[in-house]
Amino acid sequence: MKTLMRWLGRGLLLGAILLLAWQLWLLIGVAWWSQVDPGSTSFMRLRLAEMQEKNPKATLRYQWVPYDNISIHLKRAVVAAEDDRFVDHDGFDWEGIQRAMERNERRGRAVAGGSTISQQLAKNLFLSPSRSYFRKAQEAVITVMIETLWSKRRILEVYLNVVEWGDGVFGAEAAARRYYGVSAARLGPGEAARLAVMLPNPRKYERSFGPRLAAHAERIRGRMAYSQVP
């Protein structure tokens, strides 16, 4: 029994060391990307692998553009649609989480998540779309790292550049050119609102942008004037 307990203790210690080392590695990555623009993300690599299973020559559409080269309309639309308290919270919108929980309880299933732009960015950069308590906990830790080391401007800049906007389409520049044939800097209010409402399920809405989503885009367009962006 003593031998078993000794080995169990060593196993727990090793697990704790490995977990700490992983968190340190993530912290280094967050610090690095606070100054260096990401060439790819975890989500991009996963999506590319899926695409290349069907077509080995498949590539992603992705082009980084600086914050000032992204339309102010798209910035406001995304904040209005995804995280209207973005500039005020510390990475977690507790009021939004409470509203999401109440909505899910009324529906009897998960229909809202309450994730902020910072949380979504943490997941996109380092994690996967899988659902688990460990992944959510890790997402929260990375969110704290990002909010501590990055400015709100940097968070929104990276998010708009790496978020998925369709089948193999990542970032505002690729999305603007894919759907409207213009640069991200030239997106107007209506175009920006339509792109913003695609974010919850971009591959689905790329194929089918129905009347309900169009109506939602109009609501977002009406709220954009009140969106605060860094």
Side-chain angles (χ1 to χ4, degrees), residues 102-118:
E102 292 172 354
R103 185 179 176 191
N104 292 339
E105 186 176 353
R106 288 196 302 270
R107 296 289 186 88
R109 57 189 177 91
V111 295
S115 291
T116 63
I117 285 174
S118 303

Side-chain angles (χ1 to χ4, degrees), residues 68-86:
D68 290 336
N69 288 4
I70 301 174
S71 166
I72 184 63
H73 303 300
L74 185 62
K75 296 167 189 173
R76 288 175 174 163
V78 168
V79 168
E82 294 287 289
D83 185 1
D84 59 5
R85 298 185 65 248
F86 172 66

Side-chain angles (χ1 to χ4, degrees), residues 3-229:
T3 302
L4 177 61
M5 294 302 294
R6 189 182 303 117
W7 279 107
L8 180 60
R10 289 175 180 175
L12 290 173
L13 179 60
L14 178 60
I17 292 172
L18 291 174
L19 181 61
L20 182 60
W22 173 242
Q23 302 310 309
L24 180 59
W25 176 253
L26 290 172
L27 180 60
I28 292 171
V30 170
W32 174 260
W33 277 339
S34 69
Q35 303 297 323
V36 179
D37 302 333
S40 68
T41 67
S42 177
F43 268 39
M44 287 183 191
R45 291 187 290 273
L46 289 169
R47 182 64 188 131
L48 181 59
E50 291 175 0
M51 293 169 63
Q52 290 183 339
E53 286 182 0
K54 300 177 181 178
N55 177 11
K57 295 182 179 180
T59 59
L60 301 179
R61 304 186 203 188
Y62 172 56
Q63 180 182 344
W64 179 276
V65 289
Y67 188 79
D68 290 336
N69 288 4
I70 301 174
S71 166
I72 184 63
H73 303 300
L74 185 62
K75 296 167 189 173
R76 288 175 174 163
V78 168
V79 168
E82 294 287 289
D83 185 1
D84 59 5
R85 298 185 65 248
F86 172 66
V87 298
D88 297 319
H89 63 61
D90 58 359
F92 306 94
D93 182 0
W94 302 111
E95 293 179 10
I97 292 172
Q98 179 64 34
R99 289 196 301 270
M101 291 174 62
E102 292 172 354
R103 185 179 176 191
N104 292 339
E105 186 176 353
R106 288 196 302 270
R107 296 289 186 88
R109 57 189 177 91
V111 295
S115 291
T116 63
I117 285 174
S118 303
Q119 289 174 274
Q120 293 176 49
L121 178 59
K123 180 175 63 176
N124 287 359
L125 286 174
F126 295 101
L127 304 174
S128 75
S130 64
R131 296 174 180 270
S132 70
Y133 290 117
F134 176 79
R135 200 226 70 193
K136 288 299 292 184
Q138 185 63 83
E139 176 189 299
V141 171
I142 299 171
T143 298
V144 172
M145 294 178 184
I146 288 174
E147 284 279 343
T148 301
L149 297 179
W150 296 15
S151 66
K152 289 289 188 178
R153 177 187 171 102
R154 180 60 174 171
I155 293 171
L156 188 56
E157 177 184 42
V158 176
Y159 179 78
L160 290 173
N161 270 287
V162 304
V163 71
E164 185 178 22
W165 246 305
D167 191 12
V169 180
F170 286 85
E173 185 71 13
R177 295 189 181 279
R178 161 70 176 82
Y179 298 110
Y180 298 109
V182 301
S183 68
R186 295 181 58 194
L187 289 168
E191 297 161 338
R194 288 176 72 89
L195 285 177
V197 299
M198 291 177 65
L199 288 174
N201 200 338
R203 277 179 268 167
K204 173 184 176 181
Y205 297 142
E206 178 184 30
R207 299 188 305 270
S208 175
F209 196 103
R212 291 183 62 183
L213 198 61
H216 183 38
E218 283 303 308
R219 289 193 294 270
I220 293 301
R221 183 174 180 175
R223 289 164 47 191
M224 284 164 53
Y226 306 99
S227 295
Q228 295 183 346
V229 297

